[in-house]
Amino acid sequence: MELPIDGRYDIGFLLVPGFSQLAFSSALEPLRMANHLTDTPLYRWHLLSRDGAPVEASSGLASGVDGSIQQAPQLDMLLVCAGLEVQRHCDRVTLQWLRRQAGRNIPLGAVCTGGYVLAQAGLLDGYRCTLHWEHISSLHEALQFPRVTFCSQLFVLDRDRYTCSGGIAPLDMMLTLIARQQGLALAEAIAEEFIHERIRGVGDRQRNPLRVRLGHSHPKLEEVATLMEANLQEPLTLDELASHANLSRRQLERLFQRYVDCPPLKYYMDLRLMRSRLLLRQTHMPVTDVAMACGFVSPPHFTKSYRDRFGHSPSQERQRRHERVSEAQTAHAADSARLPASRVDPAE
């Protein structure tokens, strides 16, 4: 991320419908604060959408943009900001435009699920990258991008590719990039302005430690829960789990009842069902394949367990996803039809 000759750095933000407003703001605000604290226009940003129309975030809030991707100025860096249902926004026009930016040797980055768009364009082949942990799980199961190395780090800076997960992780990535360009003192001053106690690094992981998520720090409980998460496709028996932790079956049951308030097998089943819901919502895997990926050898058993947990069947979950996508596509088409002719992407 080298500074241009004139000292000002132009960064483009491609807003993908359904993008995370929090992740986008976490990437943009450090740039604003850098300009404010130095009283110098170090950074200039340009908000872009595919067709120049406002883009609706996952929260439902619409953000205006400066123009379409075809109207983008010369950029020094481009960040793709995405969120929900990112798969349906990887259209030919967007992917070709991204490839042209890469051909100009512009560093490319992504926040939240924006890395999925870059991967679809083939721009992460041979790179290490990250995106939100829920989607990493889905991509791993679907084996969609064999030439991309996904990891669970908070953010990854690999040569001219900068990717990070969602939430406030973009804040840490941008502060790290600002520190490289402008010095650590400015980055730390920005962090203080945002009441951000420390700048997390590339070695930090996305998810909270298991003891935080469970609410307890019992080492045996953590050990067994970790084993469960690592063995969802081929679930271990209760006796196997107890043996790995050097516990008796009864000791293991008492441990879960005391600290988690449920039997260990119920906790295990919930992990498998939560994974299956992610796969149904975020991949195109057949329902039977989802069942097998989550340790259900019998489709009827999977359907019954899923209905008991969520109140509807796996097929209905998938149908709900299709309905949401269809509604969003209809709304997007209606918005595009209302645009003045001069603002419609000529490549459509």
Side-chain angles (χ1 to χ4, degrees):
M1 186 168 162
E2 297 180 357
L3 283 170
I5 295 175
D6 63 5
R8 185 170 59 193
Y9 206 80
D10 285 271
I11 300 179
F13 290 88
L14 174 58
L15 303 184
V16 176
F19 71 98
S20 165
Q21 189 80 52
L22 175 60
F24 162 61
S25 298
S26 296
L28 175 62
E29 282 297 307
L31 306 177
R32 179 192 66 81
M33 186 57 70
N35 291 351
H36 173 70
L37 292 179
T38 61
D39 196 25
T40 305
L42 299 174
Y43 299 101
R44 182 169 58 181
W45 46 90
H46 310 270
L47 308 188
L48 306 169
S49 68
R50 182 187 183 278
D51 52 16
V55 185
E56 190 172 283
S58 58
S59 63
L61 296 175
S63 293
V65 297
D66 299 311
S68 71
I69 53 178
Q70 307 300 339
Q71 299 168 324
Q74 180 64 42
L75 299 172
D76 297 303
M77 186 173 81
L78 173 68
L79 291 176
V80 180
C81 305
L84 299 177
E85 301 290 352
V86 63
Q87 295 91 338
R88 69 183 182 85
H89 298 293
C90 298
D91 59 272
R92 177 181 56 83
V93 172
T94 299
L95 299 184
Q96 288 181 346
W97 181 78
L98 287 171
R99 293 184 191 112
R100 288 198 296 272
Q101 306 315 301
R104 296 170 181 161
N105 297 319
I106 298 173
L108 301 177
V111 302
C112 197
T113 60
Y116 183 93
V117 183
L118 294 180
Q120 279 284 14
L123 300 175
L124 292 180
D125 289 355
Y127 285 88
R128 293 175 63 255
C129 74
T130 191
L131 64 163
H132 194 278
W133 62 266
E134 289 185 344
H135 290 262
I136 290 177
S137 171
S138 301
L139 292 175
H140 174 72
E141 296 291 354
L143 298 177
Q144 290 177 268
F145 305 108
R147 298 185 61 190
V148 181
T149 302
F150 290 95
C151 58
S152 59
Q153 291 172 220
L154 199 67
F155 62 92
V156 175
L157 307 179
D158 186 356
R159 291 161 286 170
D160 55 352
R161 296 292 183 270
Y162 315 136
T163 57
C164 70
S165 53
I168 62 170
L171 172 60
D172 297 281
M173 183 178 78
M174 298 306 287
L175 288 174
T176 300
L177 292 174
I178 290 172
R180 289 184 176 186
Q181 275 193 348
Q182 313 290 346
L184 182 59
L186 177 58
E188 290 180 337
I190 296 171
E192 288 185 4
E193 289 286 337
F194 292 152
I195 324 298
H196 194 52
E197 63 178 9
R198 74 178 181 93
I199 302 175
R200 295 175 293 177
V202 294
D204 285 275
R205 302 177 70 84
Q206 294 186 36
R207 303 186 72 184
N208 288 329
L210 192 61
R211 63 178 177 276
V212 175
R213 285 185 279 133
L214 290 175
H216 302 282
S217 58
H218 194 291
K220 293 295 183 181
L221 183 65
E222 291 181 44
E223 182 179 350
V224 173
T226 301
L227 273 173
M228 290 176 174
E229 290 191 350
N231 293 274
L232 298 181
Q233 185 168 355
E234 297 182 5
L236 302 174
T237 67
L238 194 58
D239 288 333
E240 288 173 327
L241 290 167
S243 176
H244 277 292
N246 293 318
L247 297 170
S248 69
R249 177 172 177 149
R250 186 167 181 78
Q251 286 174 319
L252 181 59
E253 290 174 334
R254 285 202 300 262
L255 190 63
F256 267 81
Q257 199 62 51
R258 177 179 179 182
Y259 291 107
V260 190
D261 197 27
C262 77
L265 290 183
K266 182 178 183 302
Y267 179 87
Y268 205 174
M269 174 65 75
D270 198 56
L271 287 177
R272 293 160 59 198
L273 290 171
M274 293 299 290
R275 169 66 68 83
S276 70
R277 185 167 69 165
L278 287 177
L279 295 179
L280 289 168
R281 290 180 171 183
Q282 299 174 6
T283 76
H284 297 286
M285 294 171 65
V287 173
T288 53
D289 289 354
V290 171
M292 293 183 64
C294 298
F296 295 92
V297 295
S298 166
H301 180 218
F302 174 50
T303 298
K304 181 181 184 305
S305 300
Y306 198 94
R307 189 186 298 276
D308 290 344
R309 176 65 175 82
F310 299 113
H312 51 268
S313 70
S315 297
Q316 289 172 319
E317 183 76 70
R318 181 58 58 78
Q319 181 60 35
R320 289 182 177 188
R321 175 195 176 187
H322 292 326
E323 291 172 356
R324 288 195 300 270
V325 171
S326 179
E327 290 173 0
Q329 288 174 334
T330 300
H332 179 70
D335 289 341
S336 297
R338 289 193 293 268
L339 286 174
S342 62
R343 295 187 67 192
V344 177
D345 189 337
E348 286 189 317

